[in-house]
């Protein structure tokens, strides 16, 4: 059975395994081991009770894959988080921006990203940016990027907060930029994006030639 030193042992072992992320291990009120891993692009928590294990070694073996995934994603995700200069007007970040959130889709298993801001959460009205920061367009990007769900960014159509897709399956995602969604530049681009992606009729004068 678990011993009083298991939290210290487990934290040391996980830290040795995954040196690129911050790991803490504690015990909750029910004496379960609680292991938390976090990096600049996400975090998650695992409890021993959720894995039906009796020993620290069993728990370590049960959760090490989660931490390895987070650790191995760190290098790639950090590169993806280096947001290119966006082609749309932006507004400054406050330094206390809410994280993006994900929700699994029961029909196709894809995680859709939503804005964590109170005024936007729950509507899932988002658009996708390619790795260069432009609204995704199959006429412009190559097949490799089109098939890479971790390439590029997600932007909330309501408030303009931009989230990197690189960590979408671990979440939460940090706000890395914020587009000014009230400008003609953005509204014209979004109108064209919706037309090309969802076959909607263009509503902006700048896009009428697309009809």
């Amino acid at each position: 059975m678990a011993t009083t030193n298991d939290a210290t042992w487990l934290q040391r072992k996980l830290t040795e395994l995954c040196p690129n992320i911050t790991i803490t291990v504690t015990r909750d009120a029910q004496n379960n081991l609680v292991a938390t891993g976090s990096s600049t692009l996400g975090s998650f928590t695992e409890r021993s009770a959720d894995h039906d294990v009796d020993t620290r070694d069993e728990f370590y073996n049960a959760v090490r894959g989660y931490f390895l995934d987070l650790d191995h994603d760190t290098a790639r995700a950090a590169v993806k988080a280096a947001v290119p200069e966006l082609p749309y007007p932006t507004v400054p970040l406050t330094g206390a921006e809410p994280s993006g959130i994900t929700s699994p889709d029961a029909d196709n298993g894809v995680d859709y990203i939503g804005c964590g801001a109170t005024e936007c959460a729950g509507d899932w009205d988002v658009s996708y940016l390619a790795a260069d920061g432009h609204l995704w367009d199959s006429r412009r990007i190559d097949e490799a990027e089109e098939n890479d769900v971790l390439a590029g960014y997600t932007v909330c159509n309501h408030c303009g907060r931009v989230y990197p897709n690189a960590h979408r399956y671990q979440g939460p995602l940090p706000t890395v930029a914020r587009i000014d969604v009230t400008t003609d530049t953005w509204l014209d681009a979004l109108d064209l994006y919706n037309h090309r992606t969802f076959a909607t009729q263009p509503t902006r004068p700048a896009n009428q030639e697309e009809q």
Side-chain angles (χ1 to χ4, degrees):
M1 297 296 292
T3 69
T4 55
N5 294 324
D6 282 354
T8 301
W9 179 89
L10 186 62
Q11 181 167 322
R12 177 175 57 82
K13 290 289 288 185
L14 288 172
T15 300
E16 291 173 353
L17 182 71
C18 307
N20 294 323
I21 63 175
T22 301
I23 298 170
T24 58
V25 181
T26 58
R27 286 190 177 278
D28 63 16
Q30 289 74 43
N31 208 35
N32 297 304
L33 287 166
V34 181
T36 300
S38 62
S39 71
T40 56
L41 288 180
S43 64
F44 62 86
T45 300
E46 297 294 328
R47 297 169 61 251
S48 57
D50 297 331
H51 292 269
D52 191 27
V53 296
D54 293 322
T55 69
R56 66 183 187 182
D57 299 87
E58 288 178 348
F59 185 45
Y60 172 71
N61 288 326
V63 304
R64 66 192 302 272
Y66 292 96
F67 287 87
L68 280 171
D69 287 344
L70 183 62
D71 187 70
H72 290 168
D73 271 353
T74 300
R76 183 184 186 203
V79 173
K80 300 276 187 177
V83 185
E85 183 176 351
L86 296 175
Y88 314 108
T90 60
V91 295
L93 296 180
T94 65
E97 301 289 340
S99 297
I101 52 181
T102 60
S103 177
D105 182 273
D107 294 328
N108 55 30
V110 176
D111 279 6
Y112 288 99
I113 300 174
C115 183
T118 302
E119 68 272 23
C120 305
D123 56 38
W124 312 109
D125 185 6
V126 299
S127 299
Y128 295 96
L129 306 180
D132 63 3
H134 288 79
L135 277 161
W136 186 90
D137 187 344
S138 59
R139 301 184 189 187
R140 188 176 53 80
I141 65 175
D142 60 29
E143 183 177 356
E145 183 174 344
E146 180 178 350
N147 292 329
D148 184 358
V149 297
L150 299 183
Y153 307 88
T154 296
V155 55
C156 174
N157 289 331
H158 295 282
C159 68
R161 290 181 175 88
V162 178
Y163 307 101
N165 290 344
H167 227 58
R168 65 184 296 170
Y169 293 113
Q170 275 95 10
L173 298 90
T175 301
V176 294
R178 188 172 183 182
I179 293 170
D180 185 346
V181 294
T182 67
T183 65
D184 287 336
T185 301
W186 168 256
L187 292 173
D188 288 345
L190 182 61
D191 183 51
L192 187 58
Y193 166 87
N194 287 332
H195 172 61
R196 291 180 175 176
T197 306
F198 305 111
T200 61
Q201 288 299 311
T203 61
R204 304 284 295 180
N207 300 324
Q208 293 303 308
E209 65 271 15
E210 287 281 328
Q211 295 191 70

